């Protein structure tokens, strides 16, 4: 029994280490964590592999606990469900727009600065004068009855600083001619300016994720269009100056 | 962004929390294994001063040199007390070391998006509670605190029952000088031991986030006393390791900072696994004090700091 528990511990560590190494090199990683942590995950994978390889080689005395190994194997099974789901969707690939687009774009003869809603939010909170005069952002929309009644939708991006569990949807209200013509989750591209507002409806609800709607500013669009979801929908990096992420 | 399936969302949240915390848990396990292998206990005792306040201070900051997570701190403190380390220093170490150590401080900093203030407030809440409990030890002797087997007195036990042949911890090989393989094995065993608590905590956190209606979360968020109490209860029940709990707490970003901090402060001092260890190691009245006092102090500090508006 002691030997079996030892081997189970070794197996769990080896599988865990192998999984982390695979994950660090796979395109699934960003679905769960900020890619800046890839080296840390890979290093942990190597360490777990070494620990697992060392486990069977030493004699042990007394009972060997196996609860940790069992929970690790359970964790790997559960994670397999998530990873399999992403791979089945084909969502875990970078095929489009992996290279950064040009920092500025001309729309209708006017130049706009490309940026993300979280970057816009951050600059507006620090000092609104830092916000480019004309900018373009893209993101999915959320509709609520309160926003509908003001002829607005909220456009947002999911900012992931560490991992999915601390992801925050950060967005702005956008004036639109007919909110009923848009659907929740539909991606739009909005080019325009910031407008100070007197009051703003409550934050929309987005399942388990925190949604923060800017309460001081809304976006007055010069131009708006529907667009497709990029291969990297999350925002992992927030820059305070050009070139911004997009 | 295929998060429409609740099962995939739940599994993704569990995976994200665990994978984010795993490097810190493993690093803590490695440091503990290295220390256990290479630092003689007498070397620590030599540095403990005679002044009561300095004893408390040495206990508070000993975790910077001897990092221990709460999963392993009780046996270590029992060993310290049995070897003559003053209770003031040992008890300060018991409650402070799981948080006031480099690994946990860095993991807290990373988990809370590189906000140094969160690290400061967490350290303050834990340090103040640990110092209060340590000073309350006054002139108590180890025999006043420890629950000892009949016929065994402090200093007469041939060997403390921590990590000896046959101790049953499953970590010990006791096969001579520590080598790389031995260190790796200890690291792996420590990591596996603690992993289950991280996993359980991640499952509870993910379930909490996925299953409860958003409106309920907002009602928790609206009430600091309620959210602080709920998160403290969650910390005690979930028993997440101190090296990983900041990542769980950071996931509750809809709640007030006070609630997140209370979670990270109480968890390393009182949780389900620690309560069992307290009653197994310390006299009953001491164990009760070790459970009740931190709960009351952390709750009060979180509420006061929140009301004072000093938290980020």
């Amino acid at each position: 029994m002691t030997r079996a528990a030892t081997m189970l511990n070794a197996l769990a560590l080896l599988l865990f280490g192998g999984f982390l190494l695979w994950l660090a090199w796979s395109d699934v990683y960003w679905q769960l964590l900020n890619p800046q942590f890839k080296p840390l995950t890979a290093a942990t994978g190597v360490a777990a592999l070494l620990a697992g390889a060392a486990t069977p080689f030493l004699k042990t005395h007394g009972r060997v606990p196996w609860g940790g190994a069992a929970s690790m194997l359970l964790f790997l099974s559960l994670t397999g469900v998530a990873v399999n789901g992403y791979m089945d969707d084909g969502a875990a690939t970078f095929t489009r727009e992996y290279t950064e687009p040009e920092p500025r774009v001309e729309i209708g003869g006017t130049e706009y600065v490309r940026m993300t809603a979280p970057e816009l939010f951050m600059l507006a909170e620090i000092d609104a004068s830092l916000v480019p005069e004309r900018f373009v952002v893209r993101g999915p929309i959320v509709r609520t009855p309160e926003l509908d009644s003001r002829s607005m939708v909220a456009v947002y991006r999911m900012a992931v600083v560490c991992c999915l569990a601390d992801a925050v949807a950060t967005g702005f209200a956008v004036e639109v001619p007919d909110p009923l013509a848009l659907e929740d989750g539909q991606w739009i591209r909005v080019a325009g300016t910031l407008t100070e507002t007197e009051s703003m409806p409550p934050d929309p609800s987005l399942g388990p994720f925190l949604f923060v709607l800017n309460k001081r500013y809304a976006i007055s669009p010069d131009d708006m269009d529907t667009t497709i979801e990029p291969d990297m929908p999350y925002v992992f990096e927030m820059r305070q100056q050009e070139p911004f992420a997009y | 962004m295929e998060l429409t399936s609740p099962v995939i969302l739940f599994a993704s949240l569990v995976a994200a929390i665990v994978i984010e915390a795993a490097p810190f848990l493993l690093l803590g396990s490695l440091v503990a294994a290295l220390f256990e292998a290479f630092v003689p206990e007498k070397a620590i005792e030599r540095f403990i001063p005679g002044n009561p306040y300095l004893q408390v201070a040495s206990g508070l900051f000993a975790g910077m040199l001897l990092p221990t997570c709460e999963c392993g701190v009780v046996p270590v403190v029992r060993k310290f007390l049995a070897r003559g380390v003053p209770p003031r220093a040992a008890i300060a170490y018991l409650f402070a070391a799981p948080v006031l150590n480099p690994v946990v401080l860095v993991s807290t900093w990373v988990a809370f998006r590189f906000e140094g203030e969160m690290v400061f407030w967490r350290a303050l809440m834990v340090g103040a509670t640990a110092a209060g409990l340590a000073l309350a030890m006054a002139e108590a002797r180890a025999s006043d605190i420890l629950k000892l087997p009949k016929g065994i007195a402090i200093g007469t036990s041939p060997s403390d029952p921590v990590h000896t042949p046959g101790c049953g911890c499953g970590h010990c090989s006791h096969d001579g000088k520590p080598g790389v393989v031995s260190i790796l094995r200890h690291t792996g065993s420590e990591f596996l031991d603690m992993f289950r608590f991280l996993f359980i905590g991640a499952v509870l956190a993910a379930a909490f986030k996925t299953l409860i209606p958003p409106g309920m979360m907002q009602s928790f968020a609206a009430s600091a006393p309620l959210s602080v109490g709920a998160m403290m209860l969650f910390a005690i029940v979930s028993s997440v390791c101190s090296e990983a709990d900041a990542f769980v707490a950071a996931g509750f970003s809809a709640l007030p900072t006070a609630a997140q901090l209370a979670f990270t402060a109480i968890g390393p001092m009182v949780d389900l696994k620690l309560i069992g260890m307290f009653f197994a190691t310390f006299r009953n009245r001491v164990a009760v004090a070790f459970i009740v006092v931190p709960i009351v102090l952390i709750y009060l500090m979180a509420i006061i700091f929140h009301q004072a508006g000093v938290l980020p």
Side-chain angles (χ1 to χ4, degrees):
Chain A
M1 189 61 194
T2 299
R3 191 70 190 152
T6 302
M7 294 311 289
L8 186 69
N9 286 346
L11 178 69
L13 285 167
L14 288 171
L15 287 175
F16 184 72
F19 168 72
L20 291 189
L21 269 182
W22 172 82
L23 187 69
W25 262 271
S26 86
D27 285 344
V28 179
Y29 193 90
W30 66 266
Q31 299 271 10
L32 303 172
L33 295 107
N34 188 321
Q36 71 171 327
F37 293 109
K38 274 188 175 186
L40 203 55
T41 302
T44 307
V46 171
L49 279 174
L50 291 173
T55 296
F57 290 107
L58 289 176
K59 290 175 185 173
T60 52
H61 303 267
R63 192 182 66 86
V64 176
W66 53 270
S71 59
M72 191 169 274
L73 294 173
L74 198 58
F75 162 76
L76 289 171
S77 307
L78 190 63
T79 305
V81 171
V83 169
N84 195 43
Y86 292 130
M87 295 188 82
D88 280 353
D89 300 333
T93 54
F94 302 110
T95 50
R96 302 184 302 262
E97 292 187 318
Y98 194 59
T99 52
E100 288 198 7
E102 289 296 314
R104 295 189 179 212
V105 61
E106 195 174 294
I107 301 170
T110 307
E111 194 175 59
Y112 292 87
V113 175
R114 281 185 163 124
M115 60 195 310
T116 65
E119 286 170 333
L120 185 60
F121 195 108
M122 178 180 63
L123 290 183
E125 289 296 305
I126 295 170
D127 180 358
S129 67
L130 298 173
V131 175
E133 188 182 347
R134 295 191 181 275
F135 55 83
V136 57
V137 296
R138 61 179 171 173
I141 65 141
V142 169
R143 281 178 47 202
T144 65
E146 293 89 351
L147 285 165
D148 280 354
S149 67
R150 297 172 183 225
S151 289
M152 286 176 153
V153 296
V155 62
Y156 71 94
R157 289 290 288 275
M158 195 77 88
V160 180
V161 177
C162 289
C163 71
L164 188 65
D166 65 19
V168 178
T170 311
F172 285 83
V174 185
E175 296 159 14
V176 291
D178 181 14
L180 302 181
L182 296 167
E183 291 177 14
D184 263 349
Q186 186 173 4
W187 275 68
I188 62 168
R189 172 190 59 73
V190 189
T193 54
L194 274 190
T195 309
E196 203 156 354
T197 55
E198 289 295 317
S199 68
M200 196 58 76
D203 291 330
S205 171
L206 199 67
F209 300 104
L210 178 67
F211 196 114
V212 185
L213 186 70
N214 196 290
K215 296 293 189 294
R216 291 172 60 196
Y217 299 99
I219 298 176
S220 293
D222 300 333
D223 185 81
M224 197 184 82
D225 202 357
T226 57
T227 186
I228 55 165
E229 175 182 326
D231 284 315
M232 182 71 86
Y234 300 155
V235 174
F236 297 110
E237 182 187 6
M238 282 181 273
R239 304 172 189 165
Q240 295 194 28
Q241 57 189 14
E242 277 192 77
F244 294 102
Y246 181 63
Chain B
M1 194 162 22
E2 292 301 322
L3 291 173
T4 46
S5 158
V7 176
I8 291 181
L9 175 60
F10 171 76
S12 300
L13 289 172
V14 173
I17 293 170
V18 169
I19 296 167
E20 183 69 23
F24 298 97
L25 203 59
L26 192 63
L27 183 61
S29 305
L30 175 64
V31 171
L34 287 172
F35 231 97
E36 187 174 306
F38 295 112
V39 179
E41 287 138 24
K42 292 291 177 193
I44 301 163
E45 291 167 32
R46 231 177 280 139
F47 291 104
I48 295 176
N51 181 291
Y53 296 103
L54 290 179
Q55 284 179 356
V56 173
S58 67
L60 286 178
F61 296 106
M64 300 302 284
L65 295 174
L66 180 57
T68 320
C69 85
E70 80 277 10
C71 302
V73 75
V74 175
V76 173
V77 166
R78 180 177 59 175
K79 195 171 198 176
F80 281 173
L81 288 167
R83 298 282 174 92
V85 173
R88 272 187 286 254
I91 300 307
Y93 179 82
L94 171 68
F95 289 102
V99 171
L100 297 184
N101 71 64
V103 177
V104 171
L105 295 178
V106 169
S107 73
T108 306
W109 183 62
V110 173
F112 286 108
R113 303 164 193 187
F114 312 105
E115 277 191 46
E117 276 187 88
M118 295 298 280
V119 180
F120 169 78
W121 286 108
R122 182 183 192 187
L124 181 73
M125 289 165 83
V126 169
T129 305
L133 281 161
L135 287 170
M137 291 293 111
E139 299 301 325
R141 293 165 300 176
S143 55
D144 300 328
I145 301 168
L146 285 176
K147 189 180 275 180
L148 295 167
K150 284 182 181 173
I152 299 289
I154 295 294
T156 64
S157 175
S159 175
D160 190 79
V162 180
H163 295 299
T164 55
C167 65
C169 70
H171 297 175
C172 305
S173 56
H174 312 295
D175 53 357
K177 288 182 181 177
V180 173
V181 175
S182 172
I183 297 293
L184 282 171
R185 192 188 179 285
H186 266 83
T187 303
S189 295
E190 294 276 353
F191 182 61
L192 278 171
D193 266 2
M194 291 181 278
F195 184 87
R196 58 187 151 164
F197 299 110
L198 169 63
F199 178 60
I200 292 166
V203 166
L204 289 173
F208 197 75
K209 281 175 81 80
T210 340
L211 299 177
I212 70 158
M216 190 183 288
M217 196 69 165
Q218 280 166 357
S219 68
F220 270 131
S223 163
L226 196 62
S227 59
V228 168
M231 284 300 277
M232 286 178 67
L233 180 64
F234 177 47
I236 291 167
V237 172
S238 62
S239 303
V240 182
C241 181
S242 60
E243 282 150 14
D245 60 2
F247 293 97
V248 176
F252 290 90
S253 48
L255 297 181
T257 305
Q260 292 175 294
L261 279 170
F263 177 91
T264 60
I266 195 65
M269 289 194 276
V270 181
D271 65 24
L272 290 183
K273 63 184 185 298
L274 277 172
I275 290 172
M277 284 193 267
F278 284 166
F279 278 106
T281 307
F282 302 109
R283 292 181 183 275
N284 287 349
R285 60 188 168 81
V286 176
V288 169
F290 283 177
I291 295 162
V292 174
V293 173
I295 290 174
V296 173
L297 288 181
I298 294 296
Y299 185 82
L300 289 177
M301 276 192 278
I303 297 297
I304 290 168
F305 293 154
H306 177 80
Q307 296 295 344
V310 294
L311 297 176

